[in-house]
Coordinates of all heavy atoms in Angstrom, one line a residue:
M1 N -20.1 -2.7 2.2 CA -19.6 -1.5 1.5 C -18.2 -1.2 1.8 O -17.4 -0.8 0.9 CB -20.6 -0.3 1.9 CG -20.3 0.9 1.1 SD -20.8 0.5 -0.6 CE -21.0 2.1 -1.3
A2 N -17.8 -1.3 3.0 CA -16.4 -1.1 3.4 C -15.4 -2.0 2.7 O -14.3 -1.6 2.2 CB -16.2 -1.2 4.9
L3 N -15.8 -3.2 2.5 CA -15.0 -4.2 1.7 C -14.8 -3.8 0.3 O -13.7 -3.8 -0.2 CB -15.7 -5.6 1.8 CG -15.0 -6.7 1.1 CD1 -13.7 -7.1 1.8 CD2 -15.9 -7.9 0.9
I4 N -15.8 -3.3 -0.3 CA -15.7 -2.8 -1.7 C -14.9 -1.6 -1.8 O -14.0 -1.5 -2.7 CB -17.2 -2.6 -2.3 CG1 -17.9 -3.9 -2.4 CG2 -17.1 -1.9 -3.7 CD1 -19.4 -3.8 -2.7
L5 N -15.1 -0.7 -0.9 CA -14.2 0.6 -0.9 C -12.8 0.2 -0.7 O -11.9 0.8 -1.4 CB -14.7 1.5 0.2 CG -16.1 2.2 -0.1 CD1 -16.5 3.0 1.2 CD2 -16.0 3.1 -1.3
S6 N -12.4 -0.7 0.2 CA -11.1 -1.0 0.4 C -10.4 -1.8 -0.8 O -9.2 -1.7 -1.0 CB -10.9 -1.9 1.6 OG -11.0 -1.2 2.8
G7 N -11.3 -2.4 -1.6 CA -10.7 -3.0 -2.8 C -10.3 -2.0 -3.8 O -9.4 -2.3 -4.6
G8 N -10.9 -0.8 -3.8 CA -10.5 0.2 -4.7 C -9.2 1.0 -4.3 O -8.3 1.0 -5.0
L9 N -9.3 1.5 -3.1 CA -8.1 2.1 -2.5 C -8.1 1.6 -1.0 O -9.1 1.6 -0.3 CB -8.3 3.7 -2.5 CG -8.1 4.3 -3.8 CD1 -8.4 5.8 -3.7 CD2 -6.7 4.2 -4.3
P10 N -6.9 1.3 -0.5 CA -6.8 0.7 0.8 C -7.4 1.4 1.9 O -8.0 0.8 2.8 CB -5.3 0.5 1.0 CG -4.7 0.5 -0.4 CD -5.6 1.4 -1.2
E11 N -7.3 2.7 1.9 CA -7.8 3.5 3.1 C -9.3 3.8 3.1 O -9.9 4.1 4.1 CB -7.0 4.7 3.3 CG -7.2 5.8 2.2 CD -6.4 5.5 0.9 OE1 -5.6 4.6 0.8 OE2 -6.7 6.3 0.0
L12 N -9.9 3.7 1.9 CA -11.3 4.1 1.8 C -12.3 3.3 2.7 O -13.2 3.9 3.2 CB -11.8 4.1 0.4 CG -11.3 5.2 -0.5 CD1 -11.8 5.0 -1.9 CD2 -11.5 6.5 0.0
G13 N -12.1 2.0 2.8 CA -13.0 1.2 3.7 C -12.9 1.6 5.1 O -13.9 1.7 5.8
Q14 N -11.7 1.9 5.6 CA -11.5 2.3 7.0 C -12.1 3.7 7.2 O -12.7 4.0 8.2 CB -10.0 2.3 7.4 CG -9.5 0.9 7.6 CD -9.3 0.0 6.4 OE1 -9.2 0.5 5.3 NE2 -9.3 -1.3 6.6
F15 N -11.9 4.6 6.2 CA -12.4 5.9 6.4 C -14.0 5.9 6.4 O -14.6 6.6 7.0 CB -11.9 6.9 5.3 CG -10.5 7.3 5.5 CD1 -9.7 7.6 4.4 CD2 -9.9 7.5 6.7 CE1 -8.4 8.1 4.5 CE2 -8.6 7.9 6.9 CZ -7.9 8.2 5.8
G16 N -14.5 4.9 5.5 CA -16.0 4.8 5.5 C -16.5 4.3 6.8 O -17.7 4.5 7.2
L17 N -15.7 3.5 7.5 CA -16.1 3.0 8.9 C -15.8 4.0 10.0 O -16.0 3.7 11.1 CB -15.4 1.7 9.1 CG -15.9 0.5 8.3 CD1 -14.9 -0.7 8.5 CD2 -17.3 0.1 8.6
R18 N -15.3 5.1 9.6 CA -14.8 6.2 10.5 C -13.7 5.7 11.5 O -13.6 6.2 12.6 CB -16.0 6.7 11.3 CG -17.0 7.3 10.3 CD -18.0 8.2 11.0 NE -18.7 8.9 9.9 CZ -19.9 9.2 9.9 NH1 -20.6 8.9 11.0 NH2 -20.5 9.7 8.9
A19 N -12.9 4.8 11.0 CA -11.7 4.4 11.7 C -10.5 5.2 11.1 O -9.8 4.8 10.3 CB -11.4 2.9 11.5
W20 N -10.5 6.5 11.6 CA -9.5 7.5 11.0 C -8.1 7.1 11.2 O -7.3 7.3 10.3 CB -9.8 8.8 11.6 CG -11.2 9.3 11.5 CD1 -12.1 9.4 12.6 CD2 -12.0 9.5 10.3 NE1 -13.3 9.8 12.1 CE2 -13.3 9.9 10.7 CE3 -11.7 9.5 9.0 CZ2 -14.3 10.2 9.8 CZ3 -12.7 9.8 8.1 CH2 -14.0 10.2 8.5
G21 N -7.7 6.5 12.4 CA -6.4 6.1 12.6 C -5.9 5.0 11.7 O -4.8 5.1 11.1
K22 N -6.7 3.9 11.5 CA -6.4 2.8 10.6 C -6.3 3.3 9.2 O -5.5 3.0 8.4 CB -7.5 1.7 10.7 CG -7.4 0.9 11.9 CD -8.4 -0.2 11.8 CE -8.5 -1.0 13.1 NZ -9.6 -2.1 12.9
G23 N -7.3 4.2 8.8 CA -7.3 4.7 7.5 C -6.0 5.5 7.2 O -5.4 5.4 6.1
G24 N -5.6 6.3 8.1 CA -4.4 7.1 8.0 C -3.1 6.2 7.8 O -2.2 6.5 7.0
V25 N -3.1 5.1 8.6 CA -2.0 4.2 8.5 C -1.9 3.5 7.1 O -0.9 3.4 6.5 CB -2.0 3.1 9.6 CG1 -1.0 2.0 9.4 CG2 -1.8 3.8 11.0
F26 N -3.1 3.1 6.7 CA -3.1 2.5 5.3 C -2.8 3.5 4.2 O -2.1 3.1 3.3 CB -4.5 1.8 5.1 CG -4.7 0.5 5.7 CD1 -5.7 0.4 6.7 CD2 -3.9 -0.6 5.4 CE1 -5.9 -0.8 7.3 CE2 -4.1 -1.8 6.1 CZ -5.1 -1.9 7.0
L27 N -3.2 4.7 4.4 CA -2.9 5.7 3.4 C -1.4 6.0 3.4 O -0.8 6.0 2.3 CB -3.7 7.0 3.8 CG -3.4 8.2 2.9 CD1 -3.9 8.0 1.5 CD2 -4.0 9.5 3.5
V28 N -0.8 6.2 4.5 CA 0.7 6.5 4.6 C 1.5 5.3 4.0 O 2.4 5.5 3.2 CB 1.1 6.8 6.0 CG1 2.6 6.9 6.1 CG2 0.5 8.2 6.4
A29 N 1.1 4.1 4.4 CA 1.8 2.9 4.0 C 1.7 2.7 2.5 O 2.7 2.4 1.8 CB 1.3 1.6 4.7
G30 N 0.5 2.9 1.9 CA 0.3 2.7 0.5 C 1.0 3.8 -0.3 O 1.7 3.5 -1.3
L31 N 1.0 5.1 0.2 CA 1.6 6.1 -0.6 C 3.2 6.0 -0.5 O 3.8 6.2 -1.5 CB 1.2 7.5 0.0 CG -0.2 8.0 -0.3 CD1 -0.5 9.3 0.4 CD2 -0.4 8.1 -1.8
A32 N 3.7 5.6 0.7 CA 5.1 5.5 0.8 C 5.7 4.4 -0.1 O 6.7 4.5 -0.8 CB 5.5 5.2 2.2
A33 N 5.0 3.2 -0.1 CA 5.4 2.1 -1.0 C 5.2 2.4 -2.5 O 6.1 2.1 -3.3 CB 4.6 0.9 -0.6
A34 N 4.1 3.1 -2.8 CA 3.9 3.5 -4.2 C 5.0 4.5 -4.7 O 5.5 4.4 -5.8 CB 2.6 4.0 -4.4
W35 N 5.3 5.4 -3.8 CA 6.4 6.4 -4.1 C 7.7 5.7 -4.3 O 8.4 6.0 -5.3 CB 6.5 7.5 -3.0 CG 7.6 8.4 -3.3 CD1 7.6 9.5 -4.1 CD2 8.9 8.3 -2.7 NE1 8.9 10.1 -4.1 CE2 9.7 9.4 -3.2 CE3 9.5 7.5 -1.7 CZ2 11.0 9.6 -2.8 CZ3 10.8 7.7 -1.4 CH2 11.5 8.7 -1.9
A36 N 8.1 4.8 -3.4 CA 9.4 4.2 -3.5 C 9.5 3.3 -4.7 O 10.5 3.2 -5.3 CB 9.6 3.4 -2.2
L37 N 8.4 2.6 -5.1 CA 8.4 1.8 -6.3 C 8.2 2.5 -7.6 O 8.6 2.0 -8.6 CB 7.3 0.7 -6.2 CG 7.5 -0.3 -5.1 CD1 6.2 -1.2 -5.0 CD2 8.7 -1.2 -5.4
G38 N 7.8 3.8 -7.5 CA 7.5 4.5 -8.7 C 8.7 5.3 -9.2 O 8.7 6.0 -10.2
R39 N 9.8 5.2 -8.5 CA 11.0 5.9 -8.9 C 11.6 5.3 -10.2 O 11.5 4.1 -10.4 CB 12.1 5.9 -7.9 CG 11.7 6.6 -6.6 CD 12.9 6.7 -5.6 NE 13.6 5.4 -5.6 CZ 14.4 5.0 -4.6 NH1 14.6 5.8 -3.6 NH2 15.0 3.8 -4.7
P40 N 12.1 6.1 -11.1 CA 12.6 5.6 -12.4 C 13.8 4.7 -12.2 O 14.6 4.9 -11.2 CB 13.0 6.8 -13.2 CG 12.9 8.0 -12.3 CD 12.2 7.6 -11.0
I41 N 14.0 3.7 -13.1 CA 15.1 2.8 -13.0 C 16.0 3.1 -14.2 O 15.6 3.2 -15.3 CB 14.6 1.4 -13.1 CG1 13.6 1.0 -12.0 CG2 15.7 0.4 -13.1 CD1 12.9 -0.3 -12.2
S42 N 17.3 3.3 -13.9 CA 18.2 3.6 -15.0 C 18.7 2.3 -15.7 O 18.7 1.2 -15.0 CB 19.4 4.3 -14.5 OG 20.2 3.5 -13.7
V43 N 19.0 2.4 -16.9 CA 19.5 1.2 -17.7 C 20.8 0.7 -17.1 O 21.0 -0.5 -17.0 CB 19.6 1.6 -19.2 CG1 20.2 0.4 -19.9 CG2 18.3 2.0 -19.8
Q44 N 21.6 1.6 -16.6 CA 22.9 1.2 -16.0 C 22.7 0.4 -14.8 O 23.4 -0.6 -14.6 CB 23.7 2.4 -15.7 CG 25.1 2.1 -15.2 CD 25.9 3.4 -15.0 OE1 25.3 4.5 -14.7 NE2 27.2 3.3 -15.1
D45 N 21.7 0.7 -13.9 CA 21.4 -0.1 -12.8 C 20.9 -1.5 -13.1 O 21.2 -2.5 -12.5 CB 20.4 0.6 -11.9 CG 20.9 1.8 -11.1 OD1 22.2 1.9 -11.0 OD2 20.1 2.6 -10.6
L46 N 20.1 -1.5 -14.2 CA 19.6 -2.8 -14.6 C 20.7 -3.7 -15.1 O 20.7 -4.9 -14.9 CB 18.5 -2.6 -15.7 CG 17.2 -2.1 -15.2 CD1 16.3 -1.9 -16.4 CD2 16.5 -3.1 -14.3
R47 N 21.6 -3.1 -15.9 CA 22.8 -3.9 -16.4 C 23.6 -4.4 -15.3 O 24.2 -5.5 -15.4 CB 23.6 -3.0 -17.3 CG 23.0 -2.8 -18.6 CD 23.8 -2.0 -19.5 NE 23.2 -1.7 -20.8 CZ 23.5 -0.8 -21.6 NH1 24.6 0.0 -21.3 NH2 22.8 -0.5 -22.7
L48 N 23.8 -3.6 -14.2 CA 24.6 -4.1 -13.1 C 23.8 -5.0 -12.1 O 24.4 -5.6 -11.2 CB 25.1 -2.9 -12.3 CG 26.0 -1.9 -13.0 CD1 26.3 -0.7 -12.2 CD2 27.3 -2.7 -13.3
G49 N 22.6 -5.2 -12.4 CA 21.7 -6.1 -11.5 C 21.4 -5.5 -10.2 O 21.1 -6.2 -9.2
L50 N 21.4 -4.1 -10.1 CA 21.1 -3.5 -8.8 C 19.6 -3.3 -8.7 O 18.9 -3.0 -9.6 CB 21.8 -2.1 -8.7 CG 23.3 -2.1 -8.8 CD1 23.8 -0.6 -8.8 CD2 23.9 -2.8 -7.6
L51 N 19.1 -3.6 -7.5 CA 17.7 -3.4 -7.2 C 17.5 -2.0 -6.7 O 18.0 -1.6 -5.6 CB 17.3 -4.4 -6.1 CG 15.8 -4.3 -5.7 CD1 14.9 -4.7 -6.8 CD2 15.5 -5.2 -4.5
P52 N 16.9 -1.1 -7.6 CA 16.8 0.3 -7.3 C 15.8 0.6 -6.2 O 15.7 1.7 -5.7 CB 16.4 0.9 -8.6 CG 15.7 -0.1 -9.3 CD 16.3 -1.4 -8.9
H53 N 14.9 -0.3 -5.9 CA 13.8 -0.1 -5.0 C 14.1 -0.7 -3.6 O 14.7 -1.7 -3.6 CB 12.5 -0.7 -5.5 CG 12.1 -0.2 -6.8 ND1 11.9 1.1 -7.2 CD2 11.9 -0.9 -8.0 CE1 11.6 1.2 -8.4 NE2 11.6 0.0 -9.0
P54 N 13.8 0.0 -2.6 CA 14.0 -0.6 -1.2 C 13.2 -1.9 -1.1 O 12.1 -2.0 -1.6 CB 13.5 0.5 -0.3 CG 13.1 1.7 -1.1 CD 13.1 1.3 -2.5
R55 N 13.8 -2.8 -0.4 CA 13.2 -4.1 -0.2 C 11.8 -4.0 0.6 O 10.9 -4.7 0.3 CB 14.1 -5.1 0.5 CG 15.3 -5.4 -0.3 CD 16.2 -6.4 0.4 NE 17.4 -6.5 -0.4 CZ 18.1 -7.6 -0.6 NH1 17.7 -8.6 0.1 NH2 19.1 -7.6 -1.3
W56 N 11.8 -3.0 1.5 CA 10.5 -2.9 2.3 C 9.4 -2.5 1.4 O 8.2 -2.9 1.6 CB 10.6 -1.9 3.4 CG 10.9 -0.5 3.0 CD1 12.1 0.1 2.8 CD2 9.9 0.5 2.6 NE1 12.0 1.4 2.4 CE2 10.6 1.7 2.2 CE3 8.6 0.5 2.5 CZ2 10.0 2.8 1.8 CZ3 7.9 1.6 2.0 CH2 8.6 2.8 1.7
A57 N 9.6 -1.7 0.3 CA 8.6 -1.3 -0.6 C 8.1 -2.4 -1.5 O 6.9 -2.5 -1.8 CB 9.1 -0.1 -1.4
V58 N 8.9 -3.3 -1.8 CA 8.6 -4.4 -2.7 C 7.5 -5.3 -2.0 O 6.6 -5.8 -2.6 CB 9.8 -5.2 -3.2 CG1 9.4 -6.4 -4.0 CG2 10.7 -4.3 -4.0
G59 N 7.7 -5.5 -0.7 CA 6.8 -6.4 0.0 C 5.6 -5.6 0.6 O 4.5 -6.2 0.8
T60 N 5.7 -4.3 0.8 CA 4.7 -3.6 1.5 C 3.5 -3.3 0.6 O 2.3 -3.5 1.0 CB 5.2 -2.2 2.0 OG1 6.3 -2.4 2.9 CG2 4.1 -1.4 2.7
L61 N 3.7 -2.9 -0.6 CA 2.5 -2.5 -1.5 C 1.6 -3.7 -1.8 O 0.4 -3.6 -1.6 CB 3.1 -1.9 -2.8 CG 2.0 -1.2 -3.6 CD1 1.3 -0.1 -2.8 CD2 2.6 -0.6 -4.9
P62 N 2.1 -4.9 -2.1 CA 1.2 -6.0 -2.3 C 0.5 -6.5 -1.0 O -0.5 -7.1 -1.1 CB 2.1 -7.1 -2.9 CG 3.3 -6.5 -3.4 CD 3.5 -5.2 -2.6
A63 N 1.1 -6.2 0.1 CA 0.5 -6.6 1.4 C -0.5 -5.7 1.9 O -1.5 -6.1 2.6 CB 1.6 -6.8 2.4
V64 N -0.4 -4.4 1.5 CA -1.4 -3.4 2.0 C -2.8 -3.6 1.5 O -3.8 -3.5 2.3 CB -0.9 -2.0 1.6 CG1 -2.0 -0.9 1.9 CG2 0.3 -1.6 2.4
F65 N -2.9 -4.0 0.2 CA -4.3 -4.2 -0.3 C -5.1 -5.3 0.3 O -6.2 -5.1 0.8 CB -4.2 -4.3 -1.8 CG -4.1 -3.0 -2.5 CD1 -2.8 -2.6 -2.9 CD2 -5.2 -2.2 -2.8 CE1 -2.7 -1.4 -3.6 CE2 -5.1 -1.0 -3.4 CZ -3.8 -0.6 -3.8
P66 N -4.5 -6.5 0.4 CA -5.3 -7.6 1.0 C -5.5 -7.3 2.5 O -6.6 -7.6 3.1 CB -4.6 -8.9 0.8 CG -3.3 -8.5 0.1 CD -3.3 -7.1 -0.2
W67 N -4.5 -6.8 3.2 CA -4.6 -6.5 4.6 C -5.8 -5.5 4.9 O -6.6 -5.6 5.8 CB -3.3 -6.0 5.1 CG -3.3 -5.7 6.6 CD1 -4.0 -6.2 7.6 CD2 -2.4 -4.8 7.2 NE1 -3.7 -5.7 8.8 CE2 -2.7 -4.8 8.6 CE3 -1.4 -3.9 6.8 CZ2 -2.0 -4.0 9.5 CZ3 -0.7 -3.2 7.7 CH2 -1.0 -3.2 9.1
S68 N -5.9 -4.5 4.0 CA -6.9 -3.5 4.1 C -8.3 -4.1 3.9 O -9.2 -3.7 4.7 CB -6.6 -2.3 3.1 OG -7.7 -1.4 3.1
V69 N -8.4 -4.9 2.9 CA -9.7 -5.5 2.6 C -10.2 -6.4 3.8 O -11.3 -6.4 4.2 CB -9.7 -6.3 1.3 CG1 -10.9 -7.1 1.1 CG2 -9.5 -5.4 0.1
I70 N -9.2 -7.3 4.3 CA -9.6 -8.1 5.4 C -9.9 -7.3 6.6 O -10.9 -7.6 7.4 CB -8.4 -9.1 5.7 CG1 -8.3 -10.1 4.5 CG2 -8.6 -9.9 7.0 CD1 -7.0 -10.9 4.5
D71 N -9.2 -6.3 6.9 CA -9.4 -5.5 8.1 C -10.8 -4.8 7.9 O -11.5 -4.7 8.9 CB -8.3 -4.4 8.3 CG -8.6 -3.5 9.5 OD1 -8.5 -4.0 10.6 OD2 -8.9 -2.3 9.3
A72 N -11.1 -4.3 6.8 CA -12.4 -3.6 6.6 C -13.6 -4.6 6.8 O -14.6 -4.2 7.4 CB -12.5 -3.0 5.2
R73 N -13.4 -5.8 6.3 CA -14.4 -6.8 6.5 C -14.6 -7.1 8.0 O -15.8 -7.2 8.5 CB -14.1 -8.1 5.7 CG -15.1 -9.1 5.8 CD -14.8 -10.3 4.9 NE -15.8 -11.3 5.2 CZ -15.5 -12.6 5.5 NH1 -14.2 -13.0 5.6 NH2 -16.4 -13.5 5.6
T74 N -13.5 -7.4 8.7 CA -13.7 -7.7 10.1 C -14.1 -6.6 10.9 O -14.9 -6.8 11.9 CB -12.4 -8.3 10.6 OG1 -11.3 -7.4 10.4 CG2 -12.0 -9.6 10.0
S75 N -13.7 -5.4 10.6 CA -14.1 -4.2 11.4 C -15.6 -3.8 11.1 O -16.3 -3.3 12.0 CB -13.3 -3.0 11.0 OG -11.9 -3.2 11.3
A76 N -16.1 -4.2 10.0 CA -17.5 -3.9 9.6 C -18.5 -4.8 10.4 O -19.7 -4.4 10.5 CB -17.7 -3.9 8.1
R77 N -18.1 -5.9 10.9 CA -19.0 -6.8 11.5 C -19.4 -6.3 12.8 O -19.3 -5.7 13.6 CB -18.3 -8.2 11.8 CG -18.1 -8.9 10.5 CD -17.5 -10.2 10.7 NE -17.4 -11.0 9.5 CZ -17.0 -12.2 9.4 NH1 -16.6 -12.8 10.5 NH2 -16.9 -12.8 8.2

């Protein structure tokens, strides 16, 4: 069940296992990366080739989901 919950939202599997600290870390990491990537991009920045998003956010959001699912699976055992 924790594996399925983590597939939906990263922190739900950890909260379901009552691992409040891990769930909080996944929640903060996911929200921070989603906020940083969700900022609007101006056409002028695109023309200049500027990357408007911080580099840490580009790698963090895709990493949070699989990491959360794997952690929920191993923690549930």
